[in-house]
Amino acid sequence: LTSSDAALEGAGYARITLLAGFTTIADLGAPNDAIFALRRAIRENRVPGPRILAAGSPITPDGGHGDANGFAPDVLNVLRSETACSGADACRRATRRQVQAGADLIKITATGGVLSNTAAGVGQQFSNDEFAAIVEAAHSMGRRVTAHAHGTDGINAALRAGVDSIEHGTYLDHESIRLMRRGNRYLVPTMMAGWWVGQLAEQGGVLTPAQADKARRVGPDLVRMVRMAHAAGVRIAFGTDTGVSPHGMNAREFQLLVDVGY
């Protein structure tokens, strides 16, 4: 899609989300041109949609979960993320440039992910120095940082570096909970994402073998994690990772949270 096509597609999804009852959303991963244009159009009442807090393009390790994967080298060079980085200085620069581009908050991919087409697992992908540089740069420019994180090592490293919230948090442990309870931090469990990719894995024919293997494991583990976090009194924020699941189904997250004890 071109940026204009993506913005028009986003306008359709924004209307669906508003009609589903959501008046404010955080968009944590979209091309800068498309999401910032949509945010402005909604703010100016030119299209219907919820109030948008936009991260734009996530800060991701080169070749990591938020970068292009699974394509021939010549295609990869075209699809490579504009905010992929390696090394503390490069990641600090990418963060500052994302703030300059208009990001309301900074999204990072701290670990591998279920839907990246690579058998790299869901563990830590940024180095500790890179985490520290990103958080320092974002906080110094008045932006909070939220981290996509599944693996325990990546969750804890991101929290030690000072991230403000964790998206997913599938394999958080007792140390993660201790770190989560320090400062104004939140867990965003996105149970919808785990539930939906589990459905796709069992359906077959949609996910690649690498994606399906991770989806079958992460969904049930996410449920166990949320029960543990709830029992420990971790503060949560509502989030769905919609786009993985269909737009408009967002409220089902409430049902999934109630099913595990909220």
Side-chain angles (χ1 to χ4, degrees):
L1 293 177
T2 66
S3 59
S4 57
D5 288 333
L8 287 170
E9 185 176 43
Y13 292 144
R15 182 177 182 275
I16 289 169
T17 303
L18 183 64
L19 292 176
F22 291 84
T23 58
T24 299
I25 65 157
D27 187 289
L28 301 182
N32 283 352
D33 289 348
I35 192 60
F36 297 153
L38 179 59
R39 178 185 62 186
R40 183 172 61 252
I42 292 170
R43 186 182 294 156
E44 295 172 355
N45 294 317
R46 290 186 282 125
V47 297
R51 189 177 300 107
I52 295 177
L53 301 173
S57 183
I59 310 298
T60 185
D62 285 307
H65 173 59
D67 203 359
N69 286 288
F71 300 96
D74 54 338
V75 177
L76 279 175
N77 288 333
V78 175
L79 299 179
R80 193 178 307 279
S81 170
E82 62 185 321
T83 46
C85 57
S86 293
D89 285 345
C91 291
R92 184 180 290 109
R93 183 181 307 112
T95 303
R96 289 172 174 165
R97 286 181 173 171
Q98 197 57 17
V99 174
Q100 182 183 36
D104 295 308
L105 71 164
I106 296 297
K107 163 75 176 298
I108 66 173
T109 55
T111 72
V114 175
L115 294 184
S116 48
N117 188 20
T118 173
V122 293
Q124 181 174 345
Q125 292 191 340
F126 275 120
S127 71
N128 292 344
D129 287 345
E130 289 167 339
F131 276 133
I134 293 166
V135 172
E136 182 275 330
H139 285 177
S140 70
M141 300 182 82
R143 301 300 191 276
R144 292 171 67 84
V145 182
T146 191
H148 154 101
H150 287 291
T152 309
D153 53 355
I155 293 170
N156 292 349
L159 289 169
R160 290 189 190 102
V163 301
D164 301 289
S165 55
I166 296 290
E167 308 288 327
H168 318 307
T170 308
Y171 298 108
L172 63 76
D173 63 5
H174 293 296
E175 173 65 5
S176 314
I177 289 171
R178 186 186 70 81
L179 293 166
M180 288 289 302
R181 294 175 69 175
R182 286 168 44 187
N184 187 27
R185 289 171 158 178
Y186 287 83
L187 170 68
V188 187
T190 64
M191 297 191 71
M192 273 286 292
W195 172 77
W196 185 257
V197 297
Q199 303 290 309
L200 295 181
E202 295 312 312
Q203 172 185 327
V206 178
L207 305 182
T208 68
Q211 292 171 332
D213 179 62
K214 288 180 283 187
R216 290 189 182 97
R217 287 183 283 111
V218 164
D221 291 336
L222 189 61
V223 170
R224 287 191 287 272
M225 178 278 295
V226 177
R227 286 186 173 132
M228 182 173 74
H230 179 40
V234 171
R235 289 178 295 181
I236 72 158
F238 183 95
T240 60
D241 210 13
T242 293
V244 173
S245 55
H247 294 266
M249 293 178 63
N250 312 56
R252 187 179 177 89
E253 181 79 10
F254 288 119
Q255 179 184 347
L256 294 171
L257 289 167
V258 169
D259 288 346
V260 298
Y262 279 92

